[in-house]
Structure formats: structure tokens, C-alpha cells
Amino acid sequence: MTDTHAHLDFLEPEELAEAAAHLPKLRAVLTLGVDPGRWEKTLSLAQGNVYAAVGLHPTSAHLLSPEVEEALRHYARSERVRAIGETGLDYYWTPETRAAQLKALDFQAALAEALTHPHVRHGRGKAGRGAAYRAGFPPETLSEEDLAAWLLLHRPKRTVLHAFSGHPALEAAGLEVGAYFSFAGPLTYRKNAALREAAARLPEDRLLVETDTPFLPPEPFRGKRNRPHYVRFTLEKLAEARGLPFAEAEALTDRNARVCFGWP
């Protein structure tokens, strides 16, 4: 099994020890450092079968500066770094920084292309009326729609749609540019039948699974903090949705992750 998206630096020491004890069950884990204060620790955790990504989360996009750009270029050249991100658009928490989010997205996409790394993309949420009004754009605007438009305009060579939500516009754009679709804990939630339908119809060579540790725990751990080895529950649901034996789903997602991120 492979967990293609975790934030090990968010774990408490006892949680990190538990996660480490289960690492032998996993082929690989990608841990992502999402703001300048987390890059050093993220790289320190990238040992053995744990690899790193570094980037600026859209909720931290306002931190982008020439100094931060140079620091990110430095960390991104580390031998253990296999992706840039996560970056993207978040209108749930910070719709008012939309312009800064787009600028940070453009910079990180260019950096990923220059280093021939995949680019891990985040897209979350409708702004909501009050937040949208303050941000100066319509309340019906969705980050997924803007991100889909961005993908079609820029057509990145290798991109991962983190915690794919099943949004139709993002699915269509992702398919057109050859994106990877990474499924997290919500795939297991009872109400998300439409998301499981998407998992069933997407090309098998574009499928990944993740935990987003310590967030987005799968059933039966909803309401608790996530761990990388809980990826098994998402993988089981993916296998069920596609009518595959677990071992076959495991093999294809492990293979896809290896091709995408370039680890052994």
C-alpha cells in the first residue's frame, strides 16, 4: 500500500511513533510540508520509505515573497523531495486571498515543471455569501471550477488532484490533462456514492490513494485523527467500487504512485 499524501509533521510525538511502527506495512508515504515553517521538519521525517513534498498551501499563499520563493527552490532540490505542493485554491478558509493563491499556484507550477516533479493540487470549497462578498467574487464560485479552468489553460505535464472530490468540471479537466486522481477517507463515507462512481469510471492508471494524515480519516475512524496505515480502508473501498480484489487494487495504485513520484 502507498499513502501518497500525509502531513507527518502535524502528528504529536506519540502519534508519530505509532505511525512509524506501521511504516513497514506500506510501500511508501509522501509527507508534505505546506508552509515555510514546516519544510525543515518535513525533510527530517523523509527517511526510509517516507519521501517529501514541499510547497505553499493556498491558505498560506499570502506568505509568498522573493525570500520564500528562494527558500522553496532550495528545499525543493533536496534528494528526498519528490513533488511540489500542496498548492491550489481554497475558497472555504481564505477566499479573500484568491489573487495571492493564484500567484502562488503559478509559481509552484513553474517550479515543479523546472524540476520535473509532479505538482500536488488542492481545491476546496464554495466561498459562501459573506466570504465571497468580502473577496469580491460571486458566492456561487467554486475553487474546483477555477482550478479546472487553470488546468485547461496551463496544461501541466504531471499533476495530482489531492483528495479528489468528484467535482465534474475538475474530473473533465483532469482527464484532459492526464492528471492523477487521489482518493482519501471521504471515499469511504456512506453519503459519497457519487464519489465512488467516479472512482469506478476513472482510468486505472490515474488512480492513487492517500490519507491526508492527520485529517480526513476514513470509516471507521471518523472523528479521530488519521494515520498513514489507515489508507487500507480507502483502498478497500476503491477496490470494492471497481470490482477488484484488494491485491489487484493495491498493485495498481502502488504502481501508479511509483510512476508518478519516481521512488523505487
Side-chain angles (χ1 to χ4, degrees):
M1 297 180 294
T2 303
D3 180 4
T4 62
H5 195 113
H7 301 283
L8 297 183
D9 59 307
F10 278 82
L11 295 179
E12 298 297 331
E14 64 276 11
E15 295 174 324
L16 190 58
E18 179 193 352
H22 288 275
L23 284 177
K25 301 176 182 177
L26 299 170
R27 184 171 295 274
V29 175
L30 185 72
T31 186
L32 294 91
V34 294
D35 66 50
R38 294 184 176 275
W39 296 337
E40 192 75 40
K41 184 174 182 181
T42 294
L43 285 175
S44 75
L45 294 169
Q47 302 177 30
N49 63 343
V50 178
Y51 299 88
V54 289
L56 201 59
H57 192 278
T59 58
S60 297
H62 62 284
L63 298 176
L64 190 68
S65 67
E67 294 77 18
V68 168
E69 290 179 3
E70 187 54 39
L72 184 53
R73 290 190 190 97
H74 168 73
Y75 284 109
R77 294 187 181 97
S78 169
E79 180 184 0
R80 300 297 295 180
V81 168
R82 299 304 173 97
I84 302 299
E86 67 192 271
T87 181
L89 300 172
D90 193 309
Y91 300 166
Y92 184 86
W93 292 112
T94 53
E96 69 279 1
T97 66
R98 185 191 196 199
Q101 292 181 44
L102 286 165
K103 182 179 179 181
L105 173 57
D106 288 346
F107 169 71
Q108 290 173 90
L111 179 60
E113 296 287 327
L115 296 174
T116 65
H117 282 330
H119 189 196
V120 181
R121 285 177 170 74
H122 167 109
R124 186 179 183 194
K126 181 182 272 190
R129 293 189 175 274
Y133 176 80
R134 292 191 299 274
F137 57 97
E140 66 275 10
T141 299
L142 292 171
S143 62
E144 292 90 346
E145 293 170 355
D146 274 1
L147 189 55
W150 189 98
L151 288 170
L152 294 174
L153 177 63
H154 294 276
R155 310 187 79 83
K157 291 185 177 68
R158 197 161 27 129
T159 193
V160 178
L161 300 177
H162 149 60
F164 179 60
S165 67
H167 190 281
L170 196 53
E171 179 179 338
L175 287 170
E176 185 160 335
V177 303
Y180 288 88
F181 296 82
S182 187
F183 290 92
L187 186 70
T188 70
Y189 301 169
R190 186 175 303 174
K191 67 176 183 178
N192 285 346
L195 184 57
R196 289 186 285 277
E197 291 170 6
R201 67 176 172 261
L202 288 166
E204 69 171 30
D205 66 342
R206 300 289 99 186
L207 299 172
L208 300 170
V209 287
E210 62 168 89
T211 60
D212 200 24
T213 291
F215 314 108
L216 296 182
E219 297 286 3
F221 298 102
R222 289 190 74 175
K224 301 179 181 179
R225 284 165 63 84
N226 211 350
R227 305 285 192 278
H229 57 284
Y230 293 174
V231 74
R232 166 176 286 276
F233 297 91
T234 300
L235 184 55
E236 286 174 348
K237 190 59 67 173
L238 178 67
E240 179 185 310
R242 295 185 70 90
L244 296 174
F246 178 85
E248 188 173 338
E250 180 181 28
L252 76 87
T253 52
D254 283 350
R255 181 173 63 249
N256 293 345
R258 188 169 64 251
V259 170
C260 179
F261 296 107
W263 47 58

